Amino acid sequence: MRRRIAVSETASPVGSVFKAEGVTKVYGTGRAAVHALRGVSLDIPEGDLVVLLGPSGSGKSTFLNIVGGLDRATEGRVLFRDTDLTALSDARLTDYRRRHVGFVFQFYNLIPSLTAEENVELVTEIAEDPMTPAEALDLVGLAKRRTHFPAELSGGEQQRVAIARAVAKRPTVLFCDEPTGALDSQTGVEVLKVLRDVNQTLGASVLLITHAAATAAMADQVIRFSDGQVASVEHNETKVDPSQISW
Amino acid sequence: MSHILSPLDIKLLRDLWRIRGQAAAIMFVIAAGLALYVMSDGMLGSLKETRRAYYERQQFADAFAPVKRAPNYLLEDIQNLPGVARAEGRVVGGAIIDLPDVSQPITSQVLSAPEHGRASLNLLHIVTGRTVDITRADEIVLLEPFARAHGLNPGDSILVTLHGAQRRLDIVGLALSPEFVYAINPGDFAPDDSRVSVFWMGREAIGKAFDLDGAFNQVILEFAKDASEPAILDALDRILAPYGATGAYGRDEQISNKYLMEEMDQLSKMAVILPPIFLAVAVFLLNIVLTRMIQTEREQIGLLKAFGYSNVEVGWHYAKFVLAISLGGAALGCLGGMALGRMIAGVYQQFYKFPFLIFAAHASTFVISIAVTSAAALLGVTFAVRQAATLSPAVAMRPPAPPDYSKTAKVFRAIERYVDQPSRIVLRGLVRRPVRAAVTCLGIGAAMALAVMMRFNQDAIEYMMDVNFDVMDRSDVSVTFIEPQSDAVILELKRIDGVYAVEPQRNTPVMMRHGLAEHLGSITGTLPEPTLNRAVDTDLRSIYVRSDGVILSEPLMEKLQLAPGDLVTFEVREGRRPTIDLPVAGVANTMIGLPAYFEIGALNRALGDGPLVSSAYMQIDANKRDEIYRKLKDMPTIAGVAMQKESRDAFQKMIDEGPGTFRYIFTLFSVLIAVGVVYNSARIALAERRRDLASLRVLGFTRGEAAFILLGELAVLTVLALPIGGSLGYLMSSYIAKAFSTELYQIPVVLSWNSYGIATITVLVSAAVSGLLVQRDVNKLDLVRALKTRE
Ligand SMILES: Nc1ncnc2c1ncn2[C@@H]1O[C@H](COP(=O)(O)OP(=O)(O)OP(=O)(O)O)[C@@H](O)[C@H]1O
Ligand SMILES: [Mg+2]
């Protein structure tokens, strides 16, 4: 239903889903300028579950927004497979998000006037090969709450609906900005489990920002941000099951 | 499970339902404006079409040329004028009807009946009975509404004084005529079926009665295609001048047609002046509702975009919201307009006597209504929608910074020391959003302005009546003579028992010219200081009528582009037909027509035919009214008698039955606007403050206190809006008075304190009702839910 665009469809042989090269982001100008990112270069392998850590204000969200196509870098390049995201027009960036990207935010961001199912449908309607909203809700264990409005769901349930909504389109990448930030540890673990399942069963790459350092244990790769730069990149040889994480 | 509606459309419907009160208020404002438009435009179309068809079928004449007496053979010359298709000579005169159950004499016009066999002009539309038999001298056809008003039917007979001789005439038919669609007595404000009489009799019989055997005193013409009206009128005046022509005129000066045209003119003005005001208010409301909505949905918008919804899709979503409301309003307005149209068609039929008049709005009226409303609504919210559409998703995700109250605290610290905590919140709310406060104030002001404007109509009419009947014309009875009489007649009238005072007037038809401007009217000769029928200035002080210059009414000054002191040329169309140049010595106020005053002695000298009078104004003893009327009926020189009280009553009746019914509708409309604005503002304030209010309630504030915080701000704005709206209403009224004034009526700009009072009450009550509705919502505030949802 939508015109196809030249964002490559298949995983590149190199195996990275994103390549960031010297990405900087400056908010504002002159004396008021804030350097949120100062030359970030990264390589994120296809299908990995990546956890981004770092102190508040270190640029994690900014980075996520740029690779997620919500925002533009001031300088540098971001490659999604073979496509240079920094060179895309607004319309193509929209298309990129529409076809490849799922988002989960700290504050669920459900539309209050739509039921759980309708919130998911919002995305499946414009996706190309989505699962049904029921399937997606089943995936997060909320099949029974389909017709409930956000105000009738707990925080954790709302977040799971948000995840269902993000994964229903079978995204290539799933971006999660502090998805457990507003949840208690136990509920948070439930959410993490869902994310792990999505990563493993759907094969989607997951980029997960969190303040709970313990979460790093479930990742393939852990990237630490500090003052707008990448402080370190670690690869976990063995991953821990979310149920063993607590904070 | 596939929905017919997309989730976004479901969201739209639920959002609409959630703010249904506000949406309905806006819809009603739109509907009110459109109903006015559909009604006036539809009525205009109906009148135009009905008039066209009626004129065509009845062969309504294109031009009229009254003369004193012209021989029939002249008709051939006229017929041969280039551009004349048909010319007909006829006899037109005055008569007095004496009905047994009516004490006062009734003035009537009498015309020679068009002969239906021949290709005549101004054919009668016979309603019942038949037309006259031309071989019979005593048969008449009577104007139907007059007959109905007095229960007269074919077969009845009436006593008539024709040219001084009383006769009994038989009614053979009742008819309507294209010449008398709007039948009004000269000098009256309103038509009155029971007092406006016209009858038609055979050409020969009427010729004999008026000493016009083998002659006529009026020519009526049909123009050929491509005829030049001014050229024909000039030629007519030339040919007929020796026969006492007072001036040929076209349809646009024919009195019934002139009223019709002015009515249509007013309808077309109404169609373009009032609806935009309603539409503007509605667009303003839509704008605040949508802006607020987009603001609260920033994150939802960001989310939609994060998931790949495009700018256009997001913009369209909000545009659809606006369209839904405006189309709903438009549909309601179209239906309301039809209903209103049917109603007004009924009212029109009381005043405009067409054989039929059906309200039918053209499809294009609806198309225009809907298109203009949608376009205006969309245009009005372009900015808000654009903002939503182009909102960067990354920005949308970040909750807006909490509103900054720090500055307001400084400004108001001085005042705040004296008020309690809730009042402080109210004050700060006002200061923090000055633009929003100002705009809301303006919106309520618009409601006030409309309420004032709706009252203006009535004030203007009352003022016109008072000035005309209590200040300018203070007589009880006036009589006009068949022909100008020697002023001895004044003494004769004075001698009638019960007559206190009699004042003479001399009216003479003239063509007035100044430069290229001209006006065919009459000049009124009065005493220098008349007490019964006077010229007054704009401050309603009487003007001394001079013999060295004329006093002209203000609109006449305007029409002739005159300044005081300028010379005006008067070409008299009577008697010796002199041409007189006179300076303008003063300007008079006027309510009807375009009078010009001159001292009667000087006028008579200028005319050179002796001390004559053409009408007289009288003050009488009300107890002796009936005897006086009887005497007047018997005076052969009298062509017509007018009773001031009856003119006034007829006018009052018309106002009550016609525009009177619309007063209520207009008041309802201003209530709709006031409620629309106040309710919307209050709802938005509630939405913005839901969490604050809930927090306050949690802290132990009572419902009343919470409501005070919410509504206090609006109360302040409403009070501020009253004087603003009052002034705005005055300005709009002045504009409308100017736009709606015509040569026939001059609408004064008057607004009584009473009206401001009623408008104020209307707005305050509307505001209070809106406040109560919102208070109910405050009471229902679900604390847990309000605190849980992020807004
Ligand atoms: N729109 C903006 N304008 C100005 N500065 C901004 C803007 N957005 C972010 N910043 C600044 O950029 C820097 C990085 O912000 P970012 O949101 O990426 O941090 P973060 O690592 O996600 O922090 P947190 O863990 O608190 O969410 C911060 O100093 C922030 O203040
Ligand atoms: Mg962040």
Side-chain angles (χ1 to χ4, degrees):
Chain A
M1 81 190 181
R2 280 201 114 220
R3 86 207 128 86
R4 300 221 146 214
I5 58 145
V7 173
S8 63
E9 298 298 310
T10 49
S12 70
V14 192
S16 37
V17 65
F18 289 114
K19 248 194 206 124
E21 295 166 4
V23 175
T24 66
K25 176 74 186 177
V26 185
Y27 290 111
T29 51
R31 278 165 41 119
V34 176
H35 292 262
L37 294 177
R38 317 162 177 265
V40 171
S41 297
L42 274 174
D43 206 332
I44 295 171
E46 195 91 45
D48 266 14
L49 195 159
V50 179
V51 166
L52 307 180
L53 293 174
S56 184
S58 57
K60 307 180 296 291
S61 296
T62 304
F63 177 73
L64 203 73
N65 286 346
I66 290 172
V67 291
L70 295 184
D71 212 345
R72 287 173 180 281
T74 311
E75 264 172 56
R77 291 211 308 165
V78 178
L79 291 181
F80 166 72
R81 293 177 178 163
D82 292 333
T83 311
D84 184 356
L85 294 182
T86 47
L88 292 186
S89 68
D90 268 352
R92 287 173 146 209
L93 214 50
T94 299
D95 211 63
Y96 157 68
R97 295 198 301 267
R98 191 174 198 138
R99 297 169 63 195
H100 296 286
V101 176
F103 282 99
V104 179
F105 303 97
Q106 180 179 2
F107 295 107
Y108 336 131
N109 284 341
L110 298 181
I111 294 192
S113 56
L114 296 181
T115 62
E117 182 169 47
E118 286 158 356
N119 262 289
V120 177
E121 217 183 324
L122 203 57
V123 172
T124 58
E125 206 203 29
I126 59 165
E128 251 164 42
D129 175 31
M131 32 182 119
T132 65
E135 275 176 280
L137 286 170
D138 207 22
L139 206 66
V140 297
L142 282 179
K144 291 207 180 96
R145 312 299 300 271
R146 272 175 27 192
T147 58
H148 285 79
F149 284 93
E152 297 164 336
L153 298 171
S154 76
E157 286 163 343
Q158 288 185 54
Q159 191 59 301
R160 272 144 69 195
V161 174
I163 293 172
R165 184 176 59 186
V167 302
K169 66 158 75 157
R170 304 182 205 276
T172 316
V173 225
L174 185 59
F175 296 100
C176 310
D177 195 344
E178 299 182 43
T180 57
L183 305 174
D184 65 67
S185 162
Q186 212 177 343
T187 321
V189 167
E190 292 302 309
V191 168
L192 291 181
K193 274 188 196 157
V194 173
L195 291 179
R196 197 251 344 247
D197 291 349
V198 169
N199 175 245
Q200 284 177 358
T201 57
L202 298 179
S205 310
V206 175
L207 268 67
L208 170 64
I209 295 179
T210 179
H211 277 287
T215 313
M218 67 179 276
D220 294 300
Q221 205 183 111
V222 181
I223 301 171
R224 280 174 207 280
F225 275 73
S226 168
D227 201 16
Q229 285 171 322
V230 177
S232 69
V233 180
E234 292 162 31
H235 293 267
N236 285 340
E237 292 309 317
T238 50
K239 294 190 282 183
V240 165
D241 190 83
S243 59
Q244 288 171 322
I245 297 172
S246 73
W247 62 88
Chain B
M1 50 127 260
S2 87
H3 279 295
I4 303 159
L5 290 171
S6 76
L8 269 188
D9 289 334
I10 295 174
K11 165 182 180 297
L12 188 121
L13 289 178
R14 294 212 179 110
D15 285 344
L16 273 174
W17 180 246
R18 184 170 49 83
I19 62 152
R20 59 192 173 275
Q22 287 164 272
I26 299 174
M27 279 188 203
F28 280 125
V29 174
I30 294 176
L34 281 194
L36 273 180
Y37 176 74
V38 168
M39 182 270 278
S40 38
D41 196 60
M43 198 61 230
L44 179 64
S46 304
L47 278 179
K48 258 190 197 151
E49 178 50 29
T50 306
R51 184 181 76 138
R52 190 200 57 73
Y54 188 42
Y55 281 2
E56 191 178 294
R57 206 180 61 191
Q58 306 306 128
Q59 304 282 298
F60 186 49
D62 291 308
F64 303 76
V67 294
K68 204 160 160 49
R69 182 180 212 279
N72 282 343
Y73 63 77
L74 265 190
L75 284 173
E76 205 153 329
D77 296 354
I78 295 169
Q79 176 84 60
N80 290 334
L81 284 174
V84 173
R86 254 190 294 176
E88 223 176 278
R90 63 178 187 172
V91 176
V92 175
I96 287 183
I97 298 179
D98 187 359
L99 292 179
D101 54 339
V102 182
S103 73
Q104 58 270 55
I106 297 167
T107 306
S108 178
Q109 288 188 64
V110 49
L111 290 86
S112 51
E115 287 170 45
H116 278 241
R118 310 215 330 241
S120 291
L121 296 172
N122 291 358
L123 295 176
L124 298 177
H125 172 83
I126 301 284
V127 181
T128 42
R130 57 172 175 84
T131 189
V132 294
D133 177 344
I134 47 165
T135 62
R136 304 285 304 265
D138 50 4
E139 287 188 356
I140 60 166
V141 170
L142 190 56
L143 190 66
E144 193 236 15
F146 176 78
R148 289 252 176 286
H150 293 285
L152 295 168
N153 284 301
D156 295 339
S157 66
I158 51 173
L159 257 184
V160 172
T161 306
L162 265 183
H163 213 60
Q166 197 170 58
R167 332 176 21 179
R168 181 160 288 280
L169 298 172
D170 300 323
I171 303 168
V172 297
L174 306 182
L176 295 174
S177 157
E179 278 183 84
F180 301 99
V181 171
Y182 190 85
I184 187 167
N185 283 331
D188 270 10
F189 281 96
D192 176 359
D193 287 357
S194 69
R195 293 190 309 120
V196 182
S197 166
V198 181
F199 63 87
W200 290 265
M201 55 196 293
R203 177 74 171 78
E204 241 186 271
I206 192 175
K208 282 210 178 80
F210 285 93
D211 294 330
L212 287 166
D213 275 332
F216 58 86
N217 67 0
Q218 190 177 70
V219 191
I220 52 179
L221 297 183
E222 183 194 7
F223 293 159
K225 273 201 203 76
D226 321 316
S228 150
E229 177 169 323
I232 296 178
L233 296 183
D234 277 354
L236 274 177
D237 281 349
R238 247 188 343 270
I239 295 178
L240 296 171
Y243 304 94
T246 52
Y249 55 88
R251 269 187 191 179
D252 52 354
E253 291 294 328
Q254 200 270 342
I255 204 76
S256 155
N257 187 55
K258 189 168 178 166
Y259 271 100
L260 250 177
M261 286 196 317
E262 296 206 334
E263 184 65 42
M264 295 197 291
D265 193 44
Q266 299 201 346
L267 275 173
S268 66
K269 280 177 185 154
M270 176 133 138
V272 295
I273 294 175
L274 288 178
I277 296 174
F278 285 83
L279 208 52
V281 171
V283 167
F284 153 68
L285 291 177
L286 274 175
N287 192 315
I288 57 171
V289 167
L290 196 74
T291 305
R292 159 73 197 156
M293 189 163 156
I294 286 169
Q295 195 180 311
T296 50
E297 292 183 358
R298 271 168 66 92
E299 291 166 38
Q300 300 180 26
I301 294 166
L303 178 107
L304 288 173
K305 300 189 106 183
F307 280 105
Y309 278 87
S310 66
N311 291 1
V312 174
E313 283 164 322
V314 171
W316 177 229
H317 172 65
Y318 288 100
K320 268 201 285 199
F321 182 82
V322 168
L323 276 179
I325 295 179
S326 44
L327 288 179
L332 210 63
C334 289
L335 289 177
M338 292 288 287
L340 221 54
R342 297 237 167 81
M343 220 174 100
I344 204 185
V347 171
Y348 268 78
Q349 257 169 321
Q350 290 172 29
F351 301 106
Y352 296 89
K353 311 292 185 191
F354 288 107
F356 54 86
L357 179 63
I358 297 157
F359 176 82
H362 215 264
S364 65
T365 306
F366 297 120
V367 172
I368 289 172
S369 303
I370 291 170
V372 168
T373 308
S374 314
L378 287 180
L379 212 69
V381 298
T382 312
F383 185 69
V385 167
R386 243 189 87 79
Q387 242 183 350
T390 55
L391 198 64
S392 141
V395 171
M397 284 322 186
R398 232 181 334 262
D404 181 8
Y405 285 90
S406 56
K407 285 200 197 78
T408 70
K410 235 177 275 166
V411 178
F412 272 75
R413 199 152 295 158
I415 308 173
E416 283 181 348
R417 211 170 304 144
Y418 303 100
V419 300
D420 59 0
Q421 200 62 39
S423 306
R424 269 181 224 189
I425 300 179
V426 168
L427 273 179
R428 289 181 193 176
L430 280 172
V431 178
R432 184 167 66 82
R433 289 236 176 90
V435 174
R436 161 88 62 88
V439 171
T440 305
C441 192
L442 260 183
I444 302 171
M448 174 71 184
L450 265 185
V452 167
M453 215 174 75
M454 299 309 166
R455 297 282 314 173
F456 154 68
N457 189 25
Q458 195 182 354
D459 281 354
I461 288 165
E462 265 161 26
Y463 178 84
M464 277 168 89
M465 293 228 285
D466 288 348
V467 168
N468 193 69
F469 294 117
D470 291 339
V471 180
M472 293 175 22
D473 180 1
R474 299 187 293 188
S475 70
D476 299 315
V477 182
S478 62
V479 294
T480 44
F481 303 107
I482 294 171
E483 275 177 313
Q485 301 289 307
S486 143
D487 59 5
V489 76
I490 299 297
L491 291 174
E492 195 181 328
L493 290 171
K494 269 186 185 155
R495 274 198 298 270
I496 299 175
D497 185 31
V499 172
Y500 296 145
V502 183
E503 262 171 28
Q505 242 182 37
R506 171 90 197 254
N507 271 290
T508 191
V510 288
M511 174 64 92
M512 311 176 198
R513 292 187 204 275
H514 173 247
L516 289 176
E518 55 173 45
H519 172 69
L520 181 60
S522 71
I523 190 164
T524 304
T526 72
L527 299 176
E529 286 180 285
T531 54
L532 298 182
N533 191 330
R534 317 180 291 163
V536 297
D537 63 16
T538 39
D539 296 327
L540 303 185
R541 285 175 311 218
S542 64
I543 297 175
Y544 186 88
V545 179
R546 303 162 55 147
S547 49
D548 57 354
V550 281
I551 312 286
L552 297 187
S553 51
E554 213 184 316
L556 188 53
M557 294 284 287
E558 218 169 283
K559 185 175 180 186
L560 295 176
Q561 295 157 19
L562 284 164
D566 285 353
L567 272 188
V568 198
T569 304
F570 296 91
E571 292 168 12
V572 176
R573 297 289 174 85
E574 189 186 40
R576 301 166 187 217
R577 306 172 75 86
T579 295
I580 320 162
D581 286 332
L582 286 169
V584 176
V587 182
N589 192 358
T590 175
M591 298 290 136
I592 5 172
L594 304 177
Y597 303 96
F598 192 39
E599 198 272 319
I600 187 167
L603 178 64
N604 277 327
R605 279 193 297 282
L607 294 175
D609 49 10
L612 301 183
V613 299
S614 54
S615 57
Y617 286 78
M618 308 197 283
Q619 205 169 31
I620 62 168
D621 180 349
N623 296 320
K624 303 202 171 130
R625 209 176 48 199
D626 287 355
E627 295 107 86
I628 294 170
Y629 289 162
R630 205 169 310 128
K631 290 253 168 58
L632 291 178
K633 281 181 188 175
D634 291 341
M635 283 179 69
T637 50
I638 290 179
V641 182
M643 260 67 61
Q644 214 240 39
K645 187 176 173 312
E646 291 188 343
S647 302
R648 188 173 191 150
D649 290 348
F651 192 35
Q652 186 67 56
K653 187 167 151 245
M654 172 174 100
I655 297 308
D656 290 345
E657 287 173 1
T661 40
F662 282 90
R663 269 206 307 263
Y664 303 109
I665 293 172
F666 281 132
T667 307
L668 175 73
F669 284 178
S670 57
V671 168
L672 282 180
I673 288 201
V675 171
V677 173
V678 179
Y679 180 69
N680 265 295
S681 309
R683 281 303 305 232
I684 282 174
L686 174 63
E688 280 173 346
R689 303 279 168 78
R690 195 176 287 276
R691 272 163 76 81
D692 299 359
L693 292 178
S695 309
L696 287 172
R697 295 270 291 112
V698 170
L699 292 177
F701 279 79
T702 65
R703 289 196 168 126
E705 283 163 336
F708 169 76
I709 288 170
L710 189 65
L711 300 175
E713 200 175 312
L714 279 166
V716 172
L717 292 178
T718 304
V719 169
L720 283 179
L722 293 175
I724 297 173
S727 323
L728 211 64
Y730 184 84
L731 286 181
M732 293 202 306
S733 302
S734 320
Y735 174 68
I736 284 186
K738 193 136 190 71
F740 281 34
S741 284
T742 66
E743 264 186 39
L744 298 173
Y745 297 114
Q746 284 78 44
I747 301 174
V749 187
V750 275
L751 275 164
S752 62
W753 286 113
N754 193 12
S755 287
Y756 286 114
I758 289 175
T760 301
I761 290 168
T762 309
V763 171
L764 288 181
V765 168
S766 310
V769 169
S770 317
L772 282 179
L773 287 175
V774 174
Q775 158 97 59
R776 228 186 35 183
D777 296 332
V778 174
N779 291 348
K780 282 195 302 198
L781 197 64
D782 179 339
L783 295 185
V784 178
R785 211 166 162 142
L787 291 172
K788 190 165 156 190
T789 50
R790 272 163 41 84
E791 258 203 285

